Structure formats: structure tokens, C-alpha cells
Amino acid sequence: MSSRIFSFVGGAVGVWRVETILPVIGEPLAEVPRLDVVNGSLSALPEHSKWMLRGIKSNERYVTRDEKDELKAHQPQLGRPAATCAALIPIRKTASWWELPQDERRSILEERSRHIKTGLKYLPAIARSLHHCRDLGEPESFDFLTWFEYAPADAPAFEELAADLRATEEWQYVEREVDIRLSRTPA
Amino acid sequence: MSSRIFSFVGGAVGVWRVETILPVIGEPLAEVPRLDVVNGSLSALPEHSKWMLRGIKSNERYVTRDEKDELKAHQPQLGRPAATCAALIPIRKTASWWELPQDERRSILEERSRHIKTGLKYLPAIARSLHHCRDLGEPESFDFLTWFEYAPADAPAFEELAADLRATEEWQYVEREVDIRLSRTPA
């Protein structure tokens, strides 16, 4: 049975070859050659690895029924053979974001920053999976880990998506962000 | 520095004497004489204790700005000397609840079940603290632990509050609930 928890291990093994690890805002993550994506929670950092990020798939926090139905109709599964490019983007938001009530966070995230609509625009090209870290324990290094998968031909679309989100009002609340790009090694 | 995580330990020690532990829906919790409320996460079940429930204080999931301001204006602190009665109510909601999009959960919780307004009605008599468990790890026995504190004279009001919430549409999504009543022993 699959777990809602995923561990992203930066080290020497894994099918994902690390192309770049760029600190966008705040503290960077150490360079590693490979990323291993493990379903479940690991009790300790595996040998020869430098870091491990954990996240849990959870209920939706902002999406309405109409948005959920539209996402469901268009979003692809992870693991498509042609989707040999991936990005792992861990972010942490400011304390002031978490202090906002639900309606104000929804308003910034969607009504003013169009986060959900922007993601929809790039479906089905870019598959996406969101993992929450903030309430897994304390302290956690990030609040969210977002995983994206796409074909090399859709790489320009992914750059556009990332740039669109980083230009939003929502992103003014991001105090740490690292951008990890990956490519799948042949089996 | 205080942690967002709290551990509620059912066992032989703690300032809270357990009066009753009633299973409301689903599996019960073992009888214990005392409850110890510990700030932080314990790595193992302490000696002479029978169970431990952990929860993390988190951002608000449904409350709007107006509701937040009203709550803030009226809600008392925990630990008032006269509030010698407490209740710890762990609940778990069904998978179908967690599958609902945000707008439908808000609509059931507040527009149709008046959960936030019902809580406001009993302020400042009944102090309340919500702890989330669902995304702390997997599997967790409960989704939420709610802690209430009140003076003996307000016990009838607390019974009314608990009955009001249990009669709501929201509570049809509760699949496990235990009701633990406590009284603070003299220092």
C-alpha cells in the first residue's frame, strides 16, 4: 500500500540525474549527482546522501469544486515515459503568510495571483504533485515540495510557468526557494 | 522556545485527573488515571503511560478575517486559575470529507453547521485550542485534538456546545471520536 509521505533523497543513487540546484531565495541545498524519490518516510538519511526532504500529500487547501473538476479532467499521471524532465521546487513561506486567515490566503493565491489557473494553462503538458511539509514536524526546512514532470519539448513551457508564478503577489511571501532540475536516466 | 507540537499522554502522572473517557464513535481509548500535557514531541511513550496523542498547532483552515478578528477579541488564554475543568476531544473524519474541495468543506463546516459561530457563542467562558494530527505522519489515530478549558460553573454550557456540534451535518463526517473529561488537581 502506498504512503501519503514521500522522501526526496539527494545523494549518489536514484533514477533522476541532477542537472542543476539553484537557490532562488535564501539558503541553498548542497550539490548532489542524483535524486532518489522514495514512497514513505525514511528514519535516517541514507548512506552517501547529503540531504533528505520529506512531504505528505494532503487534502486541498484552496481549490474549489469547479477547479477540482477541471484539474481532474486535464491533469496527467506522473511517470509518463516521454516525461524525462523533472523539477523539484521546495519553498517556505513567511510567518506573515501563515498568520493570514483562510479567505485572505485564497484571495492572494488565486483571485490576485491566479496560481491554480496558471497551473491549468499548462495541462496536460506539465504533471504536478504537491507535498506538504509544514505540519509534518518541527522544525521543517520547507513548507511545500512541488514535483513537476514534462517532456523535453515542454521545457520552455515549464520555464514560463515557473516565471509566471514567481512574478505573483503570492511569491512575495516566499522566503526560501530552491530550484532543482532533473532528467531521468535510461532504465 | 515553545513548540507548535503538543503531546497528550494518558498514564499515571500529570496535573489533569481523568474523570471519564467515553468513546462517542468508533474505537475507545484505554482508561488511565491522569493526563499529562507536554509541549513538544516525545520520541517514545513515557513509562507507566498507556497512550500518547500528538497534535500540531497550525494555520487556520476555514476562518475568515472577520471571524478571526471576532475570535481574537473574545477568546481567553488557556490556564486561567478558575478554569479547573477541561475536555480533550480527539476526532477523525472520513476519507470522503478529505476528498471534498475547500469550498465544500467550508460550506458544510460553517455555512451549514455553524461550527465557528457556535464556538464564538461560548466565548469567553470556554477556552479552546485546536491541534492537527492528520499530516503529522502516517498513520495517525485521529485528525484533530481539541482541548477545552472552563470553570465548573460553565460545565452546562460546555455540554450544550458539544451537543450542538455533534448534531451538525459536519459531524456526519466524523468516524471516530473519544470524549475525555478532566479536572485540574490542586498544585
Side-chain angles (χ1 to χ4, degrees):
Chain A
M1 197 178 138
S2 86
S3 167
R4 289 198 292 127
I5 300 184
F6 287 80
S7 302
F8 297 86
V9 183
V13 300
V15 299
W16 294 98
R17 183 173 56 230
V18 176
E19 304 292 344
T20 54
I21 303 186
L22 299 175
V24 182
I25 307 169
E27 204 191 330
L29 274 174
E31 294 286 341
V32 288
R34 296 277 177 160
L35 182 84
D36 200 14
V37 184
V38 181
N39 184 225
S41 187
L42 302 177
S43 54
L45 194 63
E47 230 187 322
H48 306 304
S49 56
K50 288 199 180 163
W51 44 259
M52 174 167 63
L53 304 176
R54 294 180 317 138
I56 186 163
K57 296 182 77 71
S58 186
N59 59 295
E60 280 138 5
R61 304 296 164 88
Y62 300 104
V63 167
T64 64
R65 167 60 64 191
D66 289 350
E67 290 159 352
K68 186 179 171 105
D69 289 346
E70 209 181 332
L71 283 164
K72 212 169 167 179
H74 300 289
Q75 66 197 356
Q77 295 292 306
L78 295 180
R80 292 169 296 172
T84 57
C85 298
L88 175 65
I89 305 199
I91 68 166
R92 188 175 65 221
K93 286 181 169 172
T94 61
S96 63
W97 170 263
W98 294 112
E99 268 302 302
L100 292 173
Q102 177 69 24
D103 58 339
E104 293 184 1
R105 275 182 279 106
R106 159 80 197 184
S107 168
I108 293 167
L109 184 132
E110 187 53 21
E111 276 71 44
R112 281 136 66 185
S113 303
R114 302 173 64 84
H115 188 135
I116 300 162
K117 277 201 188 56
T118 299
L120 270 164
K121 213 173 101 180
Y122 296 96
L123 295 182
I126 298 166
R128 177 182 167 284
S129 181
L130 177 66
H131 312 81
H132 297 255
C133 327
R134 182 173 148 82
D135 289 343
L136 257 184
E138 196 186 28
E140 292 290 328
S141 309
F142 295 98
D143 291 335
F144 306 101
L145 313 173
T146 314
W147 175 260
F148 301 90
E149 284 180 8
Y150 48 94
D154 292 315
F158 180 73
E159 298 307 328
E160 206 178 280
L161 165 62
D164 282 0
L165 288 173
R166 285 177 183 140
T168 60
E169 180 182 347
E170 183 196 348
W171 239 253
Q172 295 173 21
Y173 293 90
V174 173
E175 64 176 14
R176 186 177 179 196
E177 177 177 8
V178 180
D179 184 327
I180 304 168
R181 299 304 175 89
L182 309 132
S183 62
R184 195 169 53 209
T185 56
Chain B
M1 196 180 140
S2 87
S3 168
R4 290 197 291 127
I5 300 183
F6 287 79
S7 302
F8 297 86
V9 183
V13 299
V15 299
W16 294 97
R17 182 173 57 229
V18 176
E19 303 293 343
T20 54
I21 302 185
L22 298 175
V24 181
I25 307 169
E27 205 190 330
L29 275 175
E31 294 285 340
V32 287
R34 294 278 177 160
L35 182 83
D36 199 14
V37 183
V38 182
N39 184 226
S41 186
L42 302 177
S43 54
L45 194 63
E47 230 186 323
H48 306 304
S49 57
K50 289 199 180 163
W51 44 260
M52 172 167 64
L53 305 175
R54 293 181 318 140
I56 186 164
K57 296 180 77 70
S58 187
N59 60 295
E60 280 138 7
R61 304 297 163 88
Y62 300 103
V63 168
T64 64
R65 168 60 64 191
D66 289 350
E67 290 159 354
K68 186 177 170 106
D69 290 346
E70 209 181 332
L71 283 163
K72 211 169 167 180
H74 299 289
Q75 67 196 356
Q77 296 292 306
L78 295 180
R80 293 168 296 173
T84 57
C85 298
L88 175 66
I89 305 198
I91 68 165
R92 188 175 65 222
K93 284 180 170 174
T94 61
S96 64
W97 171 263
W98 295 111
E99 268 303 301
L100 292 173
Q102 178 68 25
D103 58 340
E104 293 185 1
R105 275 182 279 106
R106 160 78 197 186
S107 168
I108 293 167
L109 183 133
E110 188 54 20
E111 275 70 45
R112 281 135 67 185
S113 302
R114 302 173 63 84
H115 187 135
I116 301 162
K117 277 201 186 58
T118 298
L120 271 165
K121 212 173 102 181
Y122 296 96
L123 294 182
I126 298 166
R128 176 183 169 282
S129 181
L130 177 65
H131 311 82
H132 296 255
C133 326
R134 180 173 150 82
D135 290 342
L136 257 185
E138 196 187 25
E140 292 289 328
S141 310
F142 295 97
D143 292 334
F144 306 101
L145 313 174
T146 314
W147 175 260
F148 302 90
E149 284 180 9
Y150 48 95
D154 291 314
F158 180 73
E159 298 305 328
E160 206 179 281
L161 164 62
D164 282 0
L165 288 174
R166 287 179 182 139
T168 60
E169 180 182 347
E170 183 197 347
W171 239 252
Q172 294 173 22
Y173 293 90
V174 173
E175 64 177 13
R176 187 177 179 196
E177 178 178 6
V178 180
D179 185 327
I180 305 168
R181 301 302 176 89
L182 308 130
S183 62
R184 194 168 55 211
T185 55

